[in-house]
Amino acid sequence: MPALPLLLVDAFTDRPFSGNACSVVLDASGLSGELMQAIAREMNQSETAFVLGGNGSRFDVRYYTPGEEIPLAGHPTIATTAALADAGRLVPTGPRTEVTFVLRDGPISIAYEKPASGPARVVMTQRRPEFRQTLDRAATAGILGLGSADLRTDAPVQVVSTGTPQLMVPVGSLDALRRARLDVPRYVALRAKEAFFSVHLFVLEGATPRGQTFARHFGVPPDRTEDPVTGSATGGMGAYLFHHQLVREHDFVAEQGHWMGRPGTVDVHVEGTPEDVCSVSICGTAVVVARGTLDIPR
């Protein structure tokens, strides 16, 4: 097998070495699932994206963490769109180009926006939000190294999915958010029991004056324990906040990663009413920081 094009892209930022890094492998149609998983472990990013085929505006794409394939994720969607544009595979048809990624569980809609000046923006429309089971507040807080009093009482601890189920945990203060620490064995057991992918903790204030929320996101080994800036979970958080009327605006700015030295910004848009959240989209910029090839063993 010939060497495959490989790009490293920082998503949700317009500056290199910020936001969330993603490895993007092009021309990956000949790779088995086992080999894609091995490559994702080797890359050791939050996710590695594989473009299996497509051209113009429709592409077959798969996402892997170091531990497993996942059905949908935000930051690799932003990164992969930017990588395809950088490689000349995505050809803009105007200021806004509609793009479709066919993922493991079906297609998603993306818009690639290229203004006359400034960086390109990628808008990802996620799947219709599903508000699933609620979890015990005190027990969940303990697994996160917090007390029940550290969590907000005006909204539940709840699993929300906009394509990937995430556990939403509303935290009462930046101080409590900073103190959160994952009890990995207990968390692994909770994750298996409650059928969610990872956990998203957030407060209703930004790390900078621009942000309206600030978050931390935890996974489990062999994945990275903490993710700098998350896309699908931020979309789920947006739907959750609007549904529970903690945020009443249809548009707001989410911030994440600042405490990890990788600040990132996500523009969130929610459609519908609190009783019927129809859709949520996230928007961000991305920077290609490396271009090269990946040698595949024969």
Side-chain angles (χ1 to χ4, degrees):
M1 179 178 291
L4 302 180
L6 172 68
L7 296 90
L8 181 65
V9 185
D10 289 340
F12 297 122
T13 181
D14 58 4
R15 295 185 292 112
F17 318 127
S18 298
N20 201 351
C22 180
S23 300
V24 182
V25 181
L26 305 181
D27 302 334
S29 61
L31 302 182
S32 66
E34 291 79 9
L35 189 49
M36 285 190 280
Q37 185 65 77
I39 293 168
R41 284 196 299 270
E42 182 73 14
M43 295 298 101
N44 200 33
Q45 304 293 343
S46 302
E47 283 98 13
T48 296
F50 298 88
V51 180
L52 306 185
N55 58 67
S57 62
R58 188 177 179 89
F59 301 90
D60 294 320
V61 183
R62 297 293 183 273
Y63 300 144
Y64 282 78
T65 75
E68 62 188 295
E69 183 179 7
I70 57 175
L72 180 142
H75 106 270
T77 297
I78 306 300
T80 301
T81 305
L84 288 166
D86 183 83
R89 309 294 181 91
L90 188 164
V91 181
T93 57
R96 180 181 171 99
T97 302
E98 301 297 330
V99 181
T100 298
F101 281 3
V102 182
L103 301 177
R104 189 194 74 182
D105 292 357
I108 59 169
S109 298
I110 302 155
Y112 180 75
E113 299 178 344
K114 188 67 174 78
S117 62
R121 291 159 46 93
V122 182
V123 182
M124 173 194 183
T125 300
Q126 300 184 6
R127 299 200 169 102
R128 187 181 181 93
E130 298 176 3
F131 301 97
R132 301 184 180 179
Q133 73 271 25
T134 60
L135 278 64
D136 181 84
R137 187 184 313 275
T140 304
I143 293 171
L144 299 171
L146 300 173
S148 181
D150 291 318
L151 306 189
R152 297 180 67 102
T153 59
D154 52 357
V157 174
Q158 185 174 28
V159 176
V160 177
S161 178
T162 55
T164 300
Q166 313 279 5
L167 180 60
M168 298 294 154
V169 181
V171 179
S173 68
L174 282 169
D175 173 69
L177 185 64
R178 190 184 288 275
R179 287 189 280 107
R181 295 292 183 272
L182 200 62
D183 184 327
V184 173
R186 293 173 64 196
Y187 177 70
V188 169
L190 179 70
R191 182 177 182 257
K193 176 185 175 184
E194 296 292 347
F196 63 87
F197 176 68
S198 47
V199 61
H200 199 65
L201 299 82
F202 48 87
V203 295
L204 290 175
E205 57 182 303
T208 75
R210 185 185 174 199
Q212 285 143 284
T213 65
F214 185 67
R216 296 179 67 190
H217 190 90
F218 294 140
V220 294
D223 296 347
R224 297 179 63 173
T225 303
E226 184 167 354
D227 209 1
V229 195
T230 48
S232 62
T234 298
M237 178 190 72
Y240 169 99
L241 290 172
F242 194 74
H243 176 65
H244 292 293
Q245 301 187 59
L246 298 180
V247 168
R248 297 180 183 273
E249 299 83 5
H250 288 268
D251 297 275
F252 69 92
V253 174
E255 295 180 323
Q256 193 180 338
H258 296 62
W259 294 345
M260 300 178 68
R262 297 195 64 99
T265 301
V266 186
D267 294 320
V268 182
H269 176 73
V270 184
E271 287 283 348
T273 65
E275 297 76 21
D276 182 21
V277 182
C278 301
S279 70
V280 60
S281 60
I282 58 168
C283 176
T285 57
V287 182
V288 177
V289 297
R291 304 168 184 84
T293 56
L294 177 67
D295 290 328
I296 304 299
R298 298 181 183 276

